[in-house]
Amino acid sequence: FCSKDGSGKVVLLVDTTDELSESQKVRLKIELETISETSQKRTQPILRRGDKLTLYFLMPEGNMPKKVFAMCNPGDVNNRNWLASLSESEKLAQLKWLEFAESSLDQLNEAIARTGPAATSPIYEALQYIRAAEFPPEVLIDDAQNARLIIWSDLIQNSSNLNFFKETNDS
């Protein structure tokens, strides 16, 4: 399902160092289900047809973020171009999209169920790793490419480098 040039990429980092609440799980599910939809306020989908969605989980300090899922978007029936609508039936396109959405949500739910609370939450270190591992240098990314990093976290950094729970100024 990947685009020929492989340029579109959306990476989602989910902070599972603390258990996700039921409302966080439901909201994340809805966000993933609608990631390729558009509206008057969102005129371009976050994940376009052919773009790769990669999911990482934040791991405790000393571990790299864990890549748990990567798949290219086969396209949504509502967002197909004219060539795609001629080459495949609407039912086949809908089936591909549903399979993609269900597969990504199933893998996300399984991975969340296997994680537990951690003593540390190295968000900045994980962002540095993902930026280096998943995206080309900034000067090689142009406006036509879809390169996004989405963070699903409370953003409370807790590592040996920086800890939001400790004072940062001794004065």
Side-chain angles (χ1 to χ4, degrees):
F1 302 130
C2 293
S3 62
K4 289 184 178 161
D5 65 2
S7 62
K9 181 175 282 202
V10 176
V11 178
L12 173 62
L13 172 63
V14 179
D15 181 354
T16 57
T17 56
D18 289 317
E19 187 175 347
L20 294 177
S21 69
E22 289 304 314
S23 61
Q24 288 172 316
K25 290 177 188 175
V26 169
R27 184 66 196 164
L28 182 55
K29 177 183 182 287
I30 298 299
E31 291 293 335
L32 285 173
E33 287 176 345
T34 60
I35 199 166
S36 290
E37 293 183 13
T38 59
S39 69
Q40 285 182 332
K41 292 184 180 184
R42 185 166 80 188
T43 58
Q44 295 295 317
I46 294 172
L47 185 71
R48 304 174 305 195
R49 178 186 177 100
D51 287 352
K52 182 183 271 187
L53 174 64
T54 305
L55 174 65
Y56 278 90
F57 279 170
L58 184 66
M59 301 303 289
E61 190 169 19
N63 299 297
M64 294 183 300
K66 182 178 180 184
K67 185 190 272 189
V68 293
F69 176 79
M71 184 177 177
C72 291
N73 180 355
D76 186 358
V77 170
N78 300 321
N79 293 319
R80 294 187 306 156
N81 62 26
W82 67 273
L83 184 60
S85 63
L86 291 175
S87 65
E88 68 182 4
S89 72
E90 185 172 319
K91 287 189 182 237
L92 180 59
Q94 185 67 41
L95 182 64
K96 283 182 183 177
W97 176 248
L98 289 174
E99 186 177 298
F100 170 75
E102 288 174 10
S103 173
S104 59
L105 289 172
D106 287 347
Q107 290 189 39
L108 174 65
N109 287 331
E110 288 173 20
I112 287 173
R114 289 191 304 263
T115 62
T120 59
S121 186
I123 297 168
Y124 294 129
E125 295 85 347
L127 292 175
Q128 289 173 329
Y129 175 83
I130 291 170
R131 173 64 178 95
E134 293 290 339
F135 298 101
E138 186 177 337
V139 295
L140 297 179
I141 299 174
D142 62 35
D143 293 339
Q145 292 173 317
N146 190 28
R148 298 177 187 215
L149 174 58
I150 301 170
I151 307 162
W152 196 267
S153 172
D154 58 10
L155 294 177
I156 298 177
Q157 170 76 17
N158 178 16
S159 71
S160 58
N161 292 330
L162 179 63
N163 185 319
F164 284 174
F165 297 107
K166 294 180 184 175
E167 276 190 55
T168 57
N169 187 351
D170 293 339
S171 55

